[in-house]
């Protein structure tokens, strides 16, 4: 905005100064201001920093990256307080300041204080059209500097815009990466990173998206696009459910006979895993057992579970047979090398032997195996709990943190699930369903997969309907584990976070493009509530408009 200077009498000057002083006082009292170069956003919070900062040594740039027309030097006091940036998820703290903010200008530098930040530096440099200069100690106008330092949450960061430069720092490279995601959104479409300091950290350490590629094959390129989307939104998990009754979708060297024709090669998976790692996303594999193993059983029919009348039980492996444990452990050991991240999903849900009225009578071989292994009073539920513990032991040897579906934890068994198993709570619809409090009250850590909010099931079978971002945004929080009522706040520390899941029950119900469009707003709403479970500052209409503007 050009400042027009004009001659004035002494009386006019005094009157003008009084008006300016009154306006300045009003702006400070409100804690907000429409910055000359500030991007749109919410008002500054209490305690905003009103300290003056020097204008940058370079002119601000427009959306094209070209320098704006030069103007006369402007005293810093003419900049109103900056406004907090509008990003998804919203930043949790912004200290306002006076100044022109920052825009990327072609040829300016990204520098790092530590070579461990080279990947983050190169990525943001390429995205913003800047030059990656590596590790440098000098300071130049327009610099974006990434640094490691401080203690605390490894996903926390601070982002400071001052003096025509940007500094992003955090105790871990994940936090610095998230700072670059905030900056990328701030300057999207020619916007300006507002003057001041962002201090930000997620409320929940698990912010996930799970994809069922077993029932519907998704192309590697589509999955990679989702990884990029997830990274920009500060998700940190991608779950891959790649084995089910319908298919087994990843190349196997230990059991190639079980792999479906349409599958991902290990080279493709490695590219996905590496891309995810560059975005600080852990890929969480799931080989579900002892149910949902139809694709494995198709190649090994001798392992099929049959009842007392010889009738096959769909998808269920006979856990009384040593060969069943061997083939599943072979796969767990093999894929531990394919997925080097520190997390693993063991499945454990919907074992059909336990859905009948009298499992002991219907499956006498399972009952006999239970008594042999665990004593005369043992039941089929004990055998299933022991199966899950044995698979956990296999994965634990690879130093993974493990989770299992809540209906894989059985009530009234003498064999208790391993203490280090986290509960992936998805439903209250199973036989003998238990409330979340039954898990939380025993000290279990829980991850929220609430199927009433976070399940996108292709074809909408049974009672499922496609979830909407608006419902998640307005009604869901990580404490809403079942139904719509949150558990008591005292259990919040045990709830690690949440996962939005796409299930492919009817694979042809939607194309890949339709799935991507359908989950777009639900993903954004989910991560907003995982980053900050409190009531959002923006209305749903404002949030959706922001998402549309950010692309």
């Amino acid at each position: 905005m050009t400042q027009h200077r004009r001659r004035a009498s002494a009386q006019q000057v005094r009157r003008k100064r009084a008006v300016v002083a009154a306006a300045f006082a009003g702006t400070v009292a409100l804690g907000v201001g429409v910055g000359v170069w500030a991007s749109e956003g919410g008002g500054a919070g209490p305690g905003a920093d009103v300290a003056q900062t020097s204008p940058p040594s370079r002119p601000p740039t427009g959306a094209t990256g070209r320098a704006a027309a030069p103007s006369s030097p402007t005293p810093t006091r003419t900049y109103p307080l900056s406004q907090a940036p509008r990003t998804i998820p919203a930043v949790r703290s912004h200290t306002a300041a006076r100044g022109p903010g920052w825009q990327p200008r072609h040829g300016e530098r990204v520098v790092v204080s530590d070579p461990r930040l080279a990947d983050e530096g190169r990525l943001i440099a390429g995205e913003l059209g800047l030059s990656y200069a590596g590790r440098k100690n000098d300071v130049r106008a327009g610099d974006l500097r990434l640094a490691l330092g401080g203690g605390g949450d490894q996903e926390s960061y601070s982002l400071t815009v001052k003096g025509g430069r940007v500094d992003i720092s955090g105790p871990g490279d994940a936090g610095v990466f998230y700072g670059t995601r905030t900056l990328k959104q701030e300057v999207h479409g020619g916007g300006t990173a507002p003057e001041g300091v962002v201090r930000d950290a997620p409320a929940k350490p698990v912010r996930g998206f799970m994809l069922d590629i077993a029932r519907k094959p998704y192309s590697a390129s589509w999955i990679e696009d989702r990884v990029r989307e997830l990274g920009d939104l500060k998700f940190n998990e991608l779950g891959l459910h790649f084995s089910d009754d319908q298919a087994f979708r990843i190349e196997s060297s230990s059991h190639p006979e079980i792999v479906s024709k349409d599958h991902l090669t290990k080279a493709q998976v490695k590219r996905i895993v590496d891309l995810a790692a560059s975005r600080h996303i852990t890929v969480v594999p799931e080989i579900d057992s002892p149910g949902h193993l139809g694709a494995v059983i198709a190649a090994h029919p001798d392992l099929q579970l049959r009842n007392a009348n010889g009738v096959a039980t769909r998808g269920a492996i006979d856990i009384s047979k040593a060969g069943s444990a061997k083939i599943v452990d072979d796969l767990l050991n093999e894929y531990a090398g394919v997925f080097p991240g520190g997390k693993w999903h063991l499945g454990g849900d919907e074992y059909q032997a336990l859905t009948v009225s009298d499992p002991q009578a219907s499956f006498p071989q399972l009952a006999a195996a239970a008594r042999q292994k665990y004593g005369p009073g043992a039941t089929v539920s004990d055998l299933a709990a022991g199966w899950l513990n044995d698979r956990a032991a296999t994965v634990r040897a690879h130093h993974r943190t493990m989770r299992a579906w809540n209906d894989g934890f059985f009530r009234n068994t003498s064999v208790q699930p391993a203490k280090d198993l986290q509960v992936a709570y998805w439903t209250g619809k199973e036989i003998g369903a238990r409330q979340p409090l039954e898990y939380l009250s025993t000290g279990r850590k829980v991850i929220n997969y609430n199927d009433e909010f976070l399940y996108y099931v292709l074809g909408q079978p049974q009672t499922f309907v496609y979830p909407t971002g608006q419902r998640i945004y307005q009604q869901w929080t990580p404490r809403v584990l079942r139904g719509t009522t949150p558990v008591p706040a005292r259990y919040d520390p045990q709830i690690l976070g949440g996962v939005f899941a796409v299930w492919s029950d009817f694979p042809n119900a939607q194309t890949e493009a339709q799935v991507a469009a359908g989950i777009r707003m639900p993903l954004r709403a989910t991560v907003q509530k995982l980053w900050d479970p409190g009531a959002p500052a923006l209305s749903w209409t404002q949030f959706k408009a922001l998402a549309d503007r950010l692309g």
Side-chain angles (χ1 to χ4, degrees), residues 109 136-141 143 145 165:
R109 306 186 308 174
K136 300 289 183 182
N137 293 321
D138 64 316
V139 175
R140 295 184 187 177
D143 275 357
R145 178 174 292 276
R165 297 185 298 275

Side-chain angles (χ1 to χ4, degrees), residues 229-248:
E229 180 181 15
L230 295 172
D232 282 351
L233 292 171
K234 301 173 186 158
F235 280 90
N236 63 2
E237 281 190 10
L238 168 64
L240 290 181
H241 176 92
F242 63 92
S243 169
D244 213 303
D245 295 341
Q246 293 79 0
F248 193 99

Side-chain angles (χ1 to χ4, degrees), residues 260-274:
S260 303
K261 181 178 179 180
D262 194 345
H263 65 272
L264 297 174
T265 67
K266 286 186 178 178
Q268 289 173 315
V269 172
K270 185 178 188 303
R271 285 195 294 271
I272 292 168
V273 169
D274 289 348

Side-chain angles (χ1 to χ4, degrees), residues 299-313:
H300 295 271
D302 57 308
L303 301 180
Q304 174 82 60
L305 176 64
R306 296 181 181 275
N307 67 13
N309 297 320
V311 178
T313 303

Side-chain angles (χ1 to χ4, degrees), residues 429 459-465 505-506:
K429 300 182 178 73
Q460 304 183 105
Q462 302 171 7
T463 59
F464 288 108
V465 295
D505 290 40
F506 289 90

Side-chain angles (χ1 to χ4, degrees), residues 179-239:
T180 68
R181 299 308 88 191
T182 295
L183 182 66
K184 181 182 176 182
Q185 289 192 27
E186 287 177 333
V187 302
H188 177 80
T192 301
E195 205 86 3
V197 181
V198 167
R199 293 181 178 87
D200 204 11
K204 294 297 179 182
V206 173
R207 305 178 302 281
F209 169 63
M210 194 225 76
L211 182 65
D212 171 13
I213 66 173
R215 286 174 258 198
K216 180 181 177 69
Y218 290 83
S219 65
S221 61
W222 190 90
I223 298 172
E224 289 169 3
D225 285 344
R226 300 289 74 71
V227 168
R228 296 183 184 94
E229 180 181 15
L230 295 172
D232 282 351
L233 292 171
K234 301 173 186 158
F235 280 90
N236 63 2
E237 281 190 10
L238 168 64

Side-chain angles (χ1 to χ4, degrees), residues 471-512:
R471 187 163 182 259
I472 296 168
Y473 190 76
Q474 294 176 338
Q475 299 181 29
W476 180 82
T477 73
R479 284 170 48 211
V480 179
L481 285 159
R482 177 177 175 180
T484 59
T485 303
V487 300
R490 66 180 179 274
Y491 293 115
D492 186 67
Q494 289 173 238
I495 301 170
L496 300 179
V499 176
F500 186 88
V502 171
W503 293 101
S504 307
D505 290 40
F506 289 90
N508 297 323
Q510 289 191 339
T511 64
E512 286 184 348

Side-chain angles (χ1 to χ4, degrees), residues 50 87 93 96 110 144 159 231 235 257 288 313 358 364 386 514:
V50 298
T87 59
S93 168
V110 175
L144 165 57
L159 186 159
F235 280 90
E257 74 281 0
D288 203 348
T313 303
D358 189 349
Q514 288 172 321

